[in-house]
């Protein structure tokens, strides 16, 4: 019976395993996400795997299980004795959030007074209090708890505590 299954790949082999399985006639899904990262003292937009080392494939384990297991880059199909079925609703939910082939992350909403943790950048692992968004920019103002001062940082580099 054809269902969606999660496939665990070797690190960095998601794209090549997807390509090989697609060429073999297996429907695959390899979701990616666009995120902002702090790299070399500045923020840049990068596209990464939504689920590193995992891809999804729709197949019949009895017919294609052996071929998939021995595809270059594949470690195993997730599930001990029997592959675990991924609900098609989950695949559809991810696809609905895609824009131009890439998952668009939902922006976290912050209210004045929210305690936030800085995830990256020069103030990584510092806590602060959210003060306000800066209009027309992807930056915010927070009050750093450790230094008792206001700083302006990238919106994507904080999360609620």
């Amino acid at each position: 019976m054809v269902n969606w299954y999660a496939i665990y790949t070797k690190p960095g082999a998601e794209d090549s395993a997807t390509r090989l399985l697609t060429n073999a006639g297996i429907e695959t899904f390899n979701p990616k996400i666009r995120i902002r990262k702090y790299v070399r003292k500045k923020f840049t937009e990068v596209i990464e795997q939504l689920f590193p080392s995992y891809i999804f494939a729709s197949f019949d384990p009895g017919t294609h299980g052996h071929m998939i297991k021995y595809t270059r880059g594949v470690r195993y199909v997730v599930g001990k004795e029997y592959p675990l079925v991924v609900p098609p609703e989950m695949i559809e939910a991810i696809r609905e959030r895609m824009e131009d082939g890439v998952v668009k992350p939902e922006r976290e909403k912050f209210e004045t007074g929210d305690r936030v943790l800085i995830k990256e950048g020069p103030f990584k692992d510092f806590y602060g209090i959210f003060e306000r968004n800066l209009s027309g920019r992807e930056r915010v103002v927070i009050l750093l708890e450790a230094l008792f001062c206001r700083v302006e940082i990238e919106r994507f580099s904080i999360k609620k505590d």
Side-chain angles (χ1 to χ4, degrees):
M1 181 174 197
V2 175
N3 286 305
W4 283 100
Y5 299 95
I7 297 173
Y8 185 70
T9 67
K10 294 178 181 175
E14 301 91 349
D15 292 336
S16 63
T18 298
R19 187 179 64 257
L20 291 169
L21 292 172
T22 301
N23 290 344
I26 304 292
E27 182 181 0
T28 59
F29 182 50
N30 181 11
K32 299 188 185 307
I33 187 167
R34 182 178 321 225
I35 59 172
R36 293 177 60 93
K37 273 190 155 179
Y38 191 72
V39 180
R40 296 188 186 112
K41 298 184 182 182
K42 66 177 181 170
F43 284 94
T44 57
E45 213 167 76
V46 295
I47 296 175
E48 292 185 345
Q49 300 293 327
L50 181 60
F51 303 108
S53 295
Y54 289 92
I55 61 173
F56 302 98
S58 177
F59 63 94
D60 177 6
T63 307
H64 296 101
H66 187 75
M67 186 268 299
I68 288 172
K69 182 179 176 181
Y70 291 102
T71 298
R72 177 168 283 176
V74 170
R75 287 246 167 107
Y76 55 84
V77 178
V78 176
K80 296 230 180 214
E81 293 179 30
Y82 302 102
L84 296 174
V85 175
V86 174
E89 297 82 28
M90 185 179 132
I91 302 294
E92 269 313 302
I94 295 170
R95 283 187 171 151
E96 286 173 5
R97 293 185 63 190
M98 293 181 89
E99 195 173 282
D100 299 324
V102 178
V103 174
K104 185 176 181 186
E106 287 188 18
R107 293 176 55 171
E108 192 170 6
K109 305 281 188 234
F110 298 105
E111 301 286 329
T112 301
D114 284 346
R115 188 166 192 247
V116 295
L117 171 66
I118 301 173
K119 301 182 294 187
E120 52 197 5
F123 296 108
K124 182 179 179 182
D125 296 330
F126 280 67
Y127 287 92
I129 305 298
F130 180 82
E131 198 168 275
R132 70 180 191 277
N133 287 306
L134 293 174
S135 61
R137 299 168 64 191
E138 290 295 325
R139 295 181 68 83
V140 297
V141 175
I142 66 169
L143 174 64
L144 278 180
E145 289 180 354
L147 303 175
F148 301 107
C149 67
R150 284 179 179 79
V151 293
E152 185 180 310
I153 62 174
E154 294 282 335
R155 180 184 218 319
F156 294 102
S157 65
I158 63 172
K159 70 176 183 178
K160 283 187 183 177
D161 179 37

